[in-house]
Amino acid sequence: SLGVAVLFCFRRNLDRGSSSRSAMELDFPPAEKRLLAIMACTFFGLYFGYYGLSTWIAVLVDSAGIGDAYTVAIYYALATLPGNVVGFLLIDRIGRRRLLAGAMGLSACFGVLLVATLAVAPDSIRSTLAVAAALLVNASTTAGFAALDALAAESFCTKRKATAVGLLCAVGRVASIGAQVVNASLSKSPPLLVAVTASLMAL
């Protein structure tokens, strides 16, 4: 696009003005390489789980027969609001790592609850419980995103921060694309689809 081209030209001019900076400055030291690998796994799991569920929520609801797909999709999107509020209130109080661990742990637990509901819950409470579990998964994952984005921005040296965050976001995008391929093959089995999603978020 035109905006990308302008940014590229601007960045190239900046690079010309700072030619004294060596390429070795962008090499990650061993400690940051390990951190980058760990965070790449976390990005992969979170993006796979979040986009795997959010983009398939209408299909999941329709296949499982737990309500009107479009109404549930609207509720599911609105669940990001309390997730963002919780992330805003807790990210400085309990720290990024604790918030991330807690949010992803809750997401995995609510995912297990969703799987159990879809698989064995009686019809009288199946719809309500499944929708509630899906909304809680989305809210928890949203809080996890807030913590993960803050960690990614704060964990690397200034000279390597943009490179690290760019690599991590690229890993996340690959995971979100992979989620579409995997979920397409699992769409006829909602409990299995959610189980795979929850297990990846547990990373």
Side-chain angles (χ1 to χ4, degrees), residues 6-197:
V6 172
L7 287 175
F8 177 78
C9 293
F10 180 71
R11 177 62 184 271
R12 186 171 58 182
N13 290 333
L14 286 179
D15 290 342
R16 287 176 179 174
S18 59
S19 58
S20 61
R21 189 175 76 177
S22 66
M24 292 300 294
E25 289 178 338
L26 295 179
D27 289 342
F28 291 90
E32 287 191 356
K33 285 181 179 179
R34 289 192 295 271
L35 179 61
L36 187 64
I38 293 172
M39 294 195 70
C41 292
T42 306
F43 264 78
F44 187 93
L46 182 55
Y47 272 74
F48 188 102
Y50 179 80
Y51 288 102
L53 190 58
S54 63
T55 55
W56 285 84
I57 188 66
V59 176
L60 179 65
V61 170
D62 187 61
S63 299
I66 56 176
D68 180 70
Y70 299 104
T71 302
V72 174
I74 292 174
Y75 290 151
Y76 188 86
L78 291 175
T80 59
L81 180 58
N84 281 314
V85 172
V86 170
F88 172 76
L89 293 176
L90 296 182
I91 194 167
D92 288 323
R93 291 186 180 182
I94 66 175
R96 281 79 165 137
R97 294 183 181 180
R98 290 181 179 178
L99 177 59
L100 177 61
M104 299 320 300
L106 287 174
S107 295
C109 290
F110 292 136
V112 171
L113 175 62
L114 181 55
V115 171
T117 302
L118 294 174
V120 299
D123 293 338
S124 58
I125 61 172
R126 185 168 177 262
S127 178
T128 302
L129 192 57
V131 171
L135 299 185
L136 289 171
V137 168
N138 194 24
S140 301
T141 307
T142 302
F145 263 115
L148 187 60
D149 289 342
L151 273 175
E154 297 172 357
S155 297
F156 298 95
C157 172
T158 303
K159 296 176 182 178
R160 293 178 289 273
K161 184 181 299 185
T163 302
V165 174
L167 288 173
L168 293 172
C169 289
V171 170
R173 291 306 177 187
V174 170
S176 63
I177 294 171
Q180 311 312 310
V181 177
V182 172
N183 288 353
S185 63
L186 301 177
S187 59
K188 295 186 182 300
S189 177
L192 183 57
L193 187 154
V194 177
V196 172
T197 298

